[in-house]
Amino acid sequence: MPNRLTGQSSAYLRQHADNPVDWQPFDDAAFAEAARRDVPVFLSVGYAACHWCHVMAHESFEDPEVGAYLDEHFVPVKVDREERPDVDAAYMSATQLLTGQGGWPMSVFLTPDGRAFHAGTYFPPRPAHGMPSFRQLLEAVTEAWTDRRDELEQAADAVARAVSGQAEDLRTALSGGAVPVPAAEGGPDLTAVALEVLLQKEDPEHGGFGGAPKFPPATVLPLLELAATGTEEQVAGRARDLLVRTLDTMRASAVFDQVGGGFYRYSVTREWSLPHYEKMLYDNAQLLRAYARAAAREPGRGYDRTAADTAGFLLRELRLPGGAFASSLDADTPSADGDVHSGEGAFYLWTRAELVEVLGSGRGTAVADLMGVAAGRPRPLHPGRVLGDEEQALWDAVRPGLAAARASRTAPARDDKVVAGWNGLTVTALAEAGVLLQDPALVLAAEEAAGHLWEVHWDGRRLARTSHAGSAGGSIEGLLEDYAMLAEAFLALYRATGATTWFERARELAGVAEERFSHPAADGGEEAPERVWSDLADVPAPLLAAGSSGRAVPLDDVTPSGTAVLAAVLVQLWALDEDERRARLVPSLLGPLELLAHRSPRGAGRALTVRAELGSPPAHVVLAGGTAEDKLEARRAVGAAAVLGVHVVDADAPGAPGAARGKEALGGRFTVYACRDFACRAPVHSAAELREQLEGDGGLSRASRP
């Protein structure tokens, strides 16, 4: 009999709607029932593309006897960590404190008010490898709840205090190294400091950072890109070399789907040879943006091909009716009998014999050698190095046949949940890639997705975090990251299209985010309006009981921190609207960058990028008068710089930003103002003259130089 998970926006929750478990979503009703029955809450946290989540579901949650026991002695609550990162973060802290490790599926036992007293991750159906069976665990918790309740309450109190103290310790550590921002004229060059740390942590043999598992360092790539355009030649050269090595390593590795495009989640091995096969929207959005921008700055290296292949994957496999994008593809491939955990990566793997069967003996053998497929078991295709021209030609010739053959296989399941922030990352990437790759279809796709998000997720007052099948009903309010990433997406569309509607929507979201997610610090003042920021507008009572405060932590994870993205939005709004108040809000969002640059630049890549951008003079090209064709030609003259660093503003457009003030069509003629640091050159009257101005100065801003 279906439970309360039926109709939820999360595919992960819907996958459990027919379990013989009376699952409930994480809400007031579930905890109220636990209080009424005076039983613990069993909290199970996972996500749709999680391999071991599927395994535990099949082994335990589909077992009627286990389901009956859970329902009798607990209130079972199921959470999608992608839908509720607030819940995941609070109870992951508790799990790590209780067990010394974490992961998914995460299994946590809570008091009826939300405090954790016992936790773990995956539990097998029978005792194995020193672990009890899941049923044994349930029985032990039930016995303790009945006979030793006081001990569990004391443990729950201790865990809640530890979670709260852990968060406070982190805030203290971060704030202890805070430095004034902006401080571009003095103090250490934090970009150079961060670069040195990253170079020390680079894997000198295989590229990337760290050992196994090895993740694409998506959030730090913008910092390397910016450092590579700096005026200090030695720093810029070392940053460029590190960026190129990292991008080349990833695109030639097994982490990149060489047949269908797009990136897998991470490599199980240090040498990038064996991926974990789930494909996440947020990874591919960030990496599309990085490769598209690299293609503009490093023409001829093949980054345009990687970017186009990644964009093609997004549009072909994750795009939903209405234009928004699904969250992920599973790592596992369902078998003929519907067993969803039967074959991790099976859709993507090839044997040498299969390559020969599809391509013929000659080409099949050549491709097997090129892509590292020896005789024996199926392998992922990857060359392990950038291909030469003849090798690339061979690969380009055989790819369509391999893609067609692979399409006949059973594809991995897709999580059709729409997450506002991740879609914001995707809109930004597509809008920029459309300009940089000169592919208008990508810009149109970005506009369609953004329009869907505005219509479905925004109700005029609040932004919904998730939706499904065109409805955001039942969604929690978006987190700070959702507001920030969507605002940034709208600004990217404004830069790509010049349509002021997107600028106005970005400004509206930024204003609501400031109102909903911050309050003035006690010691703030007019000149230094320090503000305290939260990741959540409202913290649910169970999370407060568990020790969470909802306070924002300015550290990147798999996506850039919400505070850093909002800071980037405010820097752009400051540049476009010439509103100094926006810039004065930025320091409170960036955190202690000197400390982070020295200790953990990968955790602050986006914030360090924003700080450097804030210290660079903004650049504008303002267009006044003339025809639509005049303005289009002027935008073409600006070219890639319109995305990479120069704001192009149509002064005649309704709702034009403040940078357009005072810019008029002189003598009724088409007039172009090229401006830097809010000071403009002598106006010109044609795209050709504008091009001469831009080429004569090598571009208006450091960031715009390819």
Side-chain angles (χ1 to χ4, degrees):
M1 181 176 178
N3 51 45
R4 286 187 60 207
L5 303 187
T6 302
Q8 292 287 318
S9 63
S10 162
Y12 177 66
L13 297 190
R14 295 196 309 276
Q15 286 167 359
H16 294 80
D18 293 318
N19 288 168
V21 178
D22 190 19
W23 292 113
Q24 303 206 38
F26 188 96
D27 60 11
D28 292 342
F31 286 89
E33 181 182 340
R36 179 182 61 79
R37 291 173 50 197
D38 194 29
V39 297
V41 170
F42 169 66
L43 176 69
S44 175
V45 182
Y47 58 105
C50 166
H51 172 75
W52 286 101
C53 298
H54 293 312
V55 172
M56 189 168 176
H58 180 68
E59 292 174 343
S60 295
F61 302 146
E62 295 174 10
D63 183 332
E65 292 186 5
V66 171
Y69 193 91
L70 268 173
D71 292 345
E72 180 180 355
H73 298 283
F74 301 88
V75 172
V77 171
K78 178 65 74 171
V79 166
D80 180 347
R81 65 177 296 259
E82 298 172 349
E83 186 176 42
R84 296 298 304 264
D86 53 336
V87 175
D88 179 62
Y91 293 111
M92 182 59 73
S93 293
T95 300
Q96 290 170 334
L97 285 165
L98 286 163
T99 69
Q101 61 186 7
W104 301 276
M106 180 166 60
S107 305
V108 193
F109 295 89
L110 314 176
T111 63
D113 64 355
R115 291 168 295 142
F117 61 84
H118 190 77
T121 54
Y122 164 79
F123 290 95
R126 289 169 295 280
H129 308 295
M131 289 188 293
S133 72
F134 184 55
R135 177 62 182 265
Q136 286 176 325
L137 174 68
L138 295 179
E139 291 173 351
V141 171
T142 300
E143 182 274 331
W145 184 260
T146 303
D147 299 337
R148 295 181 285 115
R149 177 73 170 270
D150 288 346
E151 294 178 22
L152 297 189
E153 292 283 355
Q154 291 172 13
D157 284 341
V159 171
R161 287 194 302 270
V163 169
S164 177
Q166 188 180 57
E168 190 57 43
D169 289 345
L170 177 60
R171 282 193 292 273
T172 300
L174 293 178
S175 63
V179 296
V181 179
E185 294 76 24
D189 181 346
L190 296 187
T191 302
V193 169
L195 176 62
E196 287 303 315
V197 176
L198 291 169
L199 285 166
Q200 292 169 17
K201 293 185 178 297
E202 183 189 17
D203 181 340
E205 183 177 358
H206 300 291
F209 302 95
K214 185 172 284 185
F215 290 78
T219 59
V220 84
L221 296 177
L223 178 64
L224 295 180
E225 178 197 341
L226 183 138
T229 66
T231 55
E232 172 51 54
E233 290 187 7
Q234 185 177 13
V235 172
R238 299 180 79 198
R240 177 199 173 271
D241 290 346
L242 177 56
L243 178 62
V244 165
R245 287 195 300 270
T246 305
L247 294 176
D248 283 350
T249 295
M250 291 191 298
R251 69 189 177 106
S253 77
V255 168
F256 183 64
D257 181 355
Q258 305 291 334
V259 173
F263 289 83
Y264 305 114
R265 184 69 193 92
Y266 61 85
S267 174
V268 176
T269 59
R270 176 187 168 197
E271 65 272 16
W272 303 93
S273 61
L274 182 63
H276 180 50
Y277 290 93
E278 60 192 0
K279 286 185 173 181
M280 312 303 295
L281 178 64
Y282 52 74
D283 286 325
N284 283 281
Q286 293 177 88
L287 293 170
L288 166 59
R289 190 184 190 194
Y291 279 96
R293 294 172 76 92
R297 299 192 189 280
E298 300 280 348
R301 297 192 65 92
Y303 296 144
D304 53 343
R305 182 185 298 110
T306 305
D309 287 347
T310 304
F313 156 72
L314 288 170
L315 297 180
R316 184 180 64 252
E317 298 188 40
L318 291 185
R319 197 181 191 192
L320 299 167
F325 290 84
S327 294
S328 64
L329 296 180
D330 278 7
D332 301 314
T333 301
S335 62
D337 63 1
D339 183 355
V340 297
H341 66 275
S342 61
E344 182 177 357
F347 180 74
Y348 305 104
L349 299 174
W350 296 84
T351 63
R352 199 173 180 91
E354 286 172 329
L355 292 173
V356 169
E357 180 182 354
V358 173
L359 302 176
S361 178
R363 279 189 165 182
T365 300
V367 167
D369 292 340
L370 183 65
M371 290 290 161
V373 181
R377 60 193 178 92
R379 302 290 300 173
L381 304 183
H382 70 103
R385 56 180 173 77
V386 176
L387 298 178
D389 291 343
E390 290 186 7
E391 294 170 325
Q392 188 65 55
L394 170 63
W395 181 243
D396 289 343
V398 302
R399 262 185 69 188
L402 293 175
R406 197 172 81 172
S408 65
R409 301 174 177 175
T410 302
R414 183 173 72 179
D415 182 352
D416 287 351
K417 166 180 80 263
V418 174
V419 178
W422 302 355
N423 271 257
L425 293 174
T426 308
V427 169
T428 297
L430 289 170
E432 291 190 358
V435 174
L436 298 173
L437 303 180
Q438 299 182 39
D439 186 349
L442 300 184
V443 178
L444 289 174
E447 288 187 288
E448 185 176 355
H452 179 89
L453 292 165
W454 187 256
E455 178 182 348
V456 174
H457 285 245
W458 178 247
D459 67 2
R461 299 179 305 108
R462 300 286 184 270
L463 181 70
R465 176 164 173 82
T466 61
S467 69
H468 179 254
S471 172
S475 171
I476 64 166
E477 181 177 1
L479 280 65
L480 175 63
E481 68 177 34
D482 295 298
Y483 281 82
M485 290 172 184
L486 193 53
E488 183 178 49
F490 291 159
L491 286 174
L493 276 173
Y494 173 62
R495 297 182 76 156
T497 67
T500 53
T501 295
W502 301 119
F503 169 72
E504 292 171 335
R505 290 175 177 177
R507 186 165 53 186
E508 183 175 354
L509 282 181
V512 174
E514 181 186 345
E515 173 189 335
R516 295 285 292 156
F517 296 92
S518 75
H519 61 269
D523 56 350
E526 182 64 29
E527 293 304 314
E530 286 295 320
R531 299 189 73 81
V532 176
W533 295 87
S534 299
D535 285 324
L536 306 174
D538 297 299
V539 184
L543 298 190
L544 289 172
S548 173
S549 68
R551 287 275 297 275
V553 177
L555 297 176
D556 298 338
D557 191 8
V558 293
T559 59
S561 72
T563 52
V565 178
L566 183 60
V569 168
L570 295 179
V571 169
Q572 287 197 64
L573 291 175
W574 159 64
L576 285 165
D577 253 350
E578 301 183 357
D579 181 355
E580 288 290 338
R581 191 189 72 84
R582 302 279 193 187
R584 290 198 299 270
L585 287 173
V586 171
S588 63
L589 285 158
L590 294 185
L593 293 185
E594 185 168 347
L595 177 71
L596 293 170
H598 282 90
R599 294 186 182 178
S600 182
R602 286 190 63 191
R606 191 62 193 279
L608 287 163
T609 306
V610 174
R611 182 191 189 274
E613 290 171 342
L614 189 61
S616 298
H620 304 86
V621 169
V622 183
L623 315 176
T627 65
E629 184 62 28
D630 290 330
K631 292 176 178 175
L632 180 59
E633 286 299 317
R635 293 186 70 88
R636 288 173 177 160
V638 176
V643 165
L644 297 177
V646 176
H647 299 279
V648 181
V649 175
D650 183 351
D652 305 318
R661 282 191 295 266
K663 312 296 193 302
E664 300 176 347
L666 301 178
R669 299 172 62 194
F670 175 54
T671 305
V672 183
Y673 301 83
C675 311
R676 184 175 182 177
D677 202 12
F678 307 112
C680 301
R681 299 181 182 179
V684 296
H685 300 284
S686 70
E689 292 173 297
L690 171 63
R691 189 175 288 107
E692 288 180 7
Q693 279 192 339
L694 298 178
E695 291 174 353
D697 189 38
L700 282 173
S701 73
R702 177 187 71 178
S704 69
R705 291 207 301 270

